[in-house]
Amino acid sequence: MTEEERDNVEKEVGEALDENFKALEEKQESREKRRQSTEGETEDTEGEDSDKPESSAENTDSEEKPAEEKSAEAGSSSSTTAESEAKDCEPSKMEEDAKEDTESVGNEAKEGQDKKEQEAEEEEDPSNLQLAWEMLELAKVAYSNKLESMTSDDEKKPIQMKVCETLLTLGEVSLENETYDQAVVDITECLNKRKALHAADSRRIAETHYQLGVALGHFNKFDDAVKSLEEAITCLKLRMENLKNKSESVDEAKANDAFYSREAEITELEALIPEIEEKIQDTKDMK
């Protein structure tokens, strides 16, 4: 029962009590007057008066009861309304939850589909390394075919050098692509060709030994890797000795360099050797 309903009930009960009190006072006055007129009628009057207040009290009770019943009905009605509203809210809440679940499922399905499409595109589109490897392989075939049509050794040497450079680059791309077995194959072929093309003190041979040692290290062939790296140092030391004796082979890469000097190259080689020695130690530590 609300505060307002309780106030209404108390007000109605109070009004009924006031009316009953007034009626009792009127009856009391009438009874006194009659008692003064006749003593014999006093007892009868008192009996009647005693009955009438009871009737009035009954009326008061009857007035209180409907008011309370009315208040109870009002409380019951408000409770029923609240329950009805709660029931009405439940379906709408269920609909909202169902809608959210549907949207969530839809978003997850869309994300899954986008991921699959992206993976499919990645599978279809080759990587940059793959494209580079394919182009280099094509260049190697083209140079090899061109060599077959040549007869003069002087004409062949520049093309053979291009083939070696292509093989070495193929090996580097294979290293980046973590296909170490293919890297070892390509760099080994390059080394064999360069040994046939260049003098023993050529820096190209030293470079190829170094790259082969790196590839063998990644391929877990540590002993062979150390051996190849040591051969690179041997080649560089031989060139340093020849530079000091002025009997070095011609380095095609620096043949047209106006600022080239033997002293500068010796200094450069002296700085390279400790770096290779450090690489050897790192390879030994990987065992």
Side-chain angles (χ1 to χ4, degrees):
M1 183 183 294
T2 62
E3 293 292 335
E4 184 179 356
E5 292 172 348
R6 188 181 294 108
D7 292 340
N8 291 334
V9 171
E10 291 177 354
K11 184 178 180 182
E12 290 175 359
V13 171
E15 290 176 354
L17 291 173
D18 290 339
E19 290 177 1
N20 186 35
F21 183 73
K22 289 178 182 180
L24 288 174
E25 286 182 347
E26 290 175 357
K27 295 296 182 182
Q28 187 68 24
E29 290 175 359
S30 176
R31 185 175 58 185
E32 291 295 333
K33 289 178 182 179
R34 290 178 183 177
R35 183 180 297 172
Q36 291 175 2
S37 61
T38 51
E39 293 179 358
E41 294 177 359
T42 301
E43 294 179 359
D44 296 334
T45 303
E46 289 177 354
E48 291 176 359
D49 290 340
S50 63
D51 294 336
K52 287 180 180 179
E54 291 177 0
S55 175
S56 179
E58 290 176 358
N59 292 335
T60 302
D61 294 338
S62 65
E63 288 177 0
E64 290 177 0
K65 186 176 181 181
E68 293 177 355
E69 290 177 353
K70 183 178 180 181
S71 174
E73 290 175 357
S76 177
S77 175
S78 61
S79 176
T80 304
T81 304
E83 290 177 358
S84 177
E85 291 177 354
K87 290 180 179 179
D88 292 339
C89 291
E90 287 179 0
S92 61
K93 186 177 180 182
M94 292 174 65
E95 291 176 359
E96 291 177 359
D97 293 342
K99 185 177 180 181
E100 291 177 358
D101 293 341
T102 303
E103 291 177 354
S104 177
V105 172
N107 292 334
E108 290 177 358
K110 186 177 180 181
E111 290 176 0
Q113 184 176 359
D114 293 342
K115 187 176 181 180
K116 288 181 179 179
E117 290 177 357
Q118 184 177 358
E119 290 176 355
E121 289 178 0
E122 290 176 355
E123 290 178 359
E124 293 175 359
D125 298 336
S127 64
N128 291 335
L129 287 174
Q130 180 64 25
L131 289 173
W133 189 87
E134 291 176 0
M135 294 301 296
L136 289 167
E137 191 69 23
L138 182 63
K140 183 185 75 171
V141 173
Y143 286 135
S144 299
N145 291 337
K146 190 174 183 179
L147 281 173
E148 292 178 357
S149 62
M150 294 180 175
T151 56
S152 173
D153 292 338
D154 293 337
E155 292 179 352
K156 286 182 177 181
K157 187 173 181 178
I159 304 301
Q160 289 172 337
M161 290 175 64
K162 291 288 186 183
V163 172
C164 292
E165 291 175 5
T166 303
L167 287 167
L168 185 61
T169 309
L170 276 169
E172 293 173 353
V173 171
S174 296
L175 281 175
E176 291 292 330
N177 207 28
E178 298 182 358
T179 52
Y180 303 126
D181 54 342
Q182 185 62 45
V184 170
V185 170
D186 290 333
I187 297 173
T188 300
E189 184 179 355
C190 173
L191 178 62
N192 293 333
K193 289 181 179 295
R194 280 185 167 176
K195 283 181 177 180
L197 289 171
H198 303 287
D201 66 344
S202 172
R203 292 183 64 173
R204 295 178 185 272
I205 294 176
E207 176 192 17
T208 311
H209 274 301
Y210 178 81
Q211 293 294 345
L212 181 59
V214 172
L216 289 167
H218 284 294
F219 199 42
N220 295 330
K221 292 186 177 182
F222 302 113
D223 293 336
D224 293 339
V226 170
K227 183 179 178 181
S228 185
L229 292 171
E230 288 174 346
E231 287 179 357
I233 292 176
T234 300
C235 183
L236 292 179
K237 286 182 176 180
L238 176 61
R239 184 164 184 82
M240 286 175 60
E241 184 179 350
N242 291 340
L243 284 167
K244 292 175 182 179
N245 296 330
K246 298 182 180 180
S247 60
E248 78 279 1
S249 63
V250 176
D251 187 353
E252 294 86 353
K254 297 183 179 181
N256 300 321
D257 187 356
F259 300 98
Y260 172 78
S261 66
R262 288 188 177 91
E263 291 77 11
E265 186 174 0
I266 290 171
T267 302
E268 183 181 356
L269 295 175
E270 288 176 347
L272 285 174
I273 290 174
E275 294 181 4
I276 300 174
E277 290 174 345
E278 184 178 354
K279 184 67 175 177
I280 290 173
Q281 186 60 46
D282 291 342
T283 303
K284 289 180 179 179
D285 293 340
M286 291 171 63
K287 290 183 180 181

